[in-house]
Amino acid sequence: QVQVVESGGGLVQDGGSLRLSCTTSGLRFGDYAMSWFRQAPGKEREAVACISTTGMTNYIGSVKGRFTISRDNYQNTLSLQMNTLKPEDTAMYYCAARTLTYCSDLSRSGYNYWGSGTQVTVSS
């Protein structure tokens, strides 16, 4: 049984930092590209960052230079370091495992396993 569990969300002020973590079990973590998605109220879920099985990364434009995605294939964990947070980053953040190895696109296709999310709120 595959489990994907996010942690690390919370309330932070404009300009602050948070580090999200995602732990997985029941899957061969190193065989999956991994991503962080977010969904704000009334908006569609969007991919924020993706990391391939070889460590290549891809980010949406609005977080480039502020967010860093990383993975530890020994601990089966995924992280997202978020710096210089803005109120528009407020959303539920989800960790997802992709049954593909690459991150050349940031579409929602190919994701079989999702966590239940962790809330990030940035106050102005």
Side-chain angles (χ1 to χ4, degrees), residues 2 23 48 75 77-78 82-83 92 96 98 120-121:
V2 175
T23 59
V48 173
Q75 299 291 329
T77 59
L78 180 73
M82 305 186 294
N83 298 327
M92 186 71 79
R98 195 180 207 188
V120 172
T121 302

Side-chain angles (χ1 to χ4, degrees), residues 17-59:
S17 297
L18 280 175
R19 186 177 181 87
L20 304 184
S21 296
C22 170
T23 59
T24 69
S25 60
L27 56 78
R28 291 171 59 95
F29 182 79
D31 291 348
Y32 292 80
M34 297 294 298
S35 290
W36 287 99
F37 285 76
R38 68 185 179 188
Q39 187 168 18
K43 295 188 177 181
E44 291 191 358
R45 190 172 298 189
E46 63 176 356
V48 173
C50 179
I51 185 166
S52 73
T53 56
T54 61
M56 301 278 291
T57 58
N58 196 0
Y59 299 90

Side-chain angles (χ1 to χ4, degrees), residues 54-111:
T54 61
M56 301 278 291
T57 58
N58 196 0
Y59 299 90
I60 57 169
S62 60
V63 308
K64 282 183 180 178
R66 300 189 298 122
F67 290 12
T68 302
I69 189 171
S70 59
R71 65 189 298 159
D72 184 334
N73 289 343
Y74 295 101
Q75 299 291 329
N76 294 345
T77 59
L78 180 73
S79 298
L80 185 69
Q81 178 66 42
M82 305 186 294
N83 298 327
T84 320
L85 282 160
K86 304 175 182 181
E88 52 263 43
D89 295 317
T90 295
M92 186 71 79
Y93 282 71
Y94 299 89
C95 173
R98 195 180 207 188
T99 53
L100 298 168
T101 61
Y102 55 84
C103 291
S104 56
D105 65 277
L106 290 175
S107 70
R108 291 183 59 179
S109 65
Y111 290 91

